Amino acid sequence: MADIRVFTQSSIRIACTEGVVYFDPFRMDAEPHDADLVLITHDHYDHFSPEDIERVRRADTVFVVPTRLESQAREALGDMAEIHTVVPGEHHQVAGVDFDTVASYNIGKAFHPKSAGWVGYVLKVDGQRVYVAGDTDATPEAKAVTCDVALVPIGGTYTMDAREAAGLVNAIAPKLAIPTHYGSIVGRMGDADDFAAAVNPGIKVEVQIR
């Protein structure tokens, strides 16, 4: 079973048979330089942080970014970096990892417009489907995801709040839900407890940001 760790905000590390995969590394305390693959959801500073990417990357690390972020990523990561671009609704295999991209956007607020082409990812690792939602609301695309593990933002303002995120999780019914994107820039630590209380009893909730 994949080992999933959540750091600050939506900074996530997954260690699995396929390798070590990071999402949106941010405010990394250590410099492990162990990333086989780094996936970025969108261009906001707390998700695309070149200085934190440097703390996890190796010379041969492979990167995946939304198409709209390509030029910025190439400038920040260097000419030698292997960068793959994606848009929502695609299937890819990169660096030995299979994944699908899911549209990630706001409904009724303008922070993450659908037109930007930002993404969440559903990885297929260690026989599981792991959904990393990115900064999103409970969109039709999110509600159509099939997964075993869901990592969803709960802090509100720029994303779903705890109640809305629990509603999404209850709709897609993963075996495990892990809240992200609260307790630092936006949202309070107590949002995790509110989220856990609103998730259906048959779904395990694991709180990692405390």
Side-chain angles (χ1 to χ4, degrees):
M1 182 175 178
D3 177 51
I4 302 173
R5 304 290 174 89
V6 182
F7 306 110
T8 302
Q9 203 65 341
S10 296
S11 178
I12 296 161
R13 178 185 186 271
I14 299 179
C16 53
T17 302
E18 290 81 359
V20 175
V21 183
Y22 283 86
F23 298 83
D24 296 352
F26 179 63
R27 292 183 181 170
M28 298 296 298
D29 292 331
E31 297 188 22
H33 299 293
D34 61 349
D36 294 296
L37 181 64
V38 175
L39 298 103
I40 302 299
T41 62
H42 65 291
D43 71 346
H44 290 170
Y45 76 95
D46 52 330
H47 295 266
F48 179 62
S49 170
E51 65 183 64
D52 290 291
I53 291 172
E54 289 300 323
R55 294 185 173 105
V56 304
R57 75 183 294 188
R58 303 189 309 250
D60 61 346
T61 298
V62 180
F63 301 92
V64 175
V65 304
T67 296
R68 183 169 167 177
L69 187 52
E70 180 178 10
S71 60
Q72 188 178 346
R74 292 198 180 280
E75 180 178 353
L77 302 175
D79 293 337
M80 300 301 293
E82 181 179 344
I83 300 173
H84 297 258
T85 60
V86 297
V87 297
E90 294 182 332
H91 174 78
H92 291 267
Q93 184 180 75
V94 177
V97 178
D98 279 305
F99 62 86
D100 299 318
T101 55
V102 180
S104 181
Y105 62 93
N106 291 137
I107 298 172
K109 47 187 182 279
F111 301 111
H112 307 90
K114 187 174 184 179
S115 60
W118 304 139
V119 297
Y121 297 92
V122 181
L123 266 66
K124 301 170 186 175
V125 293
D126 286 351
Q128 296 180 307
R129 290 175 58 85
V130 180
Y131 176 36
V132 176
D135 279 12
T136 191
D137 288 326
T139 66
E141 293 89 342
K143 291 177 181 177
V145 167
T146 301
C147 63
D148 301 290
V149 181
L151 294 101
V152 295
I154 68 166
T157 305
Y158 306 109
T159 71
M160 301 176 282
D161 62 23
R163 178 185 56 80
E164 293 164 338
L168 171 62
V169 165
N170 292 338
I172 64 177
K175 297 174 184 174
L176 173 64
I178 303 174
T180 67
H181 208 273
Y182 67 96
S184 56
I185 294 171
V186 69
R188 56 189 181 85
M189 287 297 181
D191 289 338
D193 296 324
D194 295 342
F195 170 75
V199 169
N200 290 340
I203 301 170
K204 180 181 178 183
V205 175
E206 182 178 298
V207 176
Q208 294 199 16
I209 299 175
R210 293 194 179 277

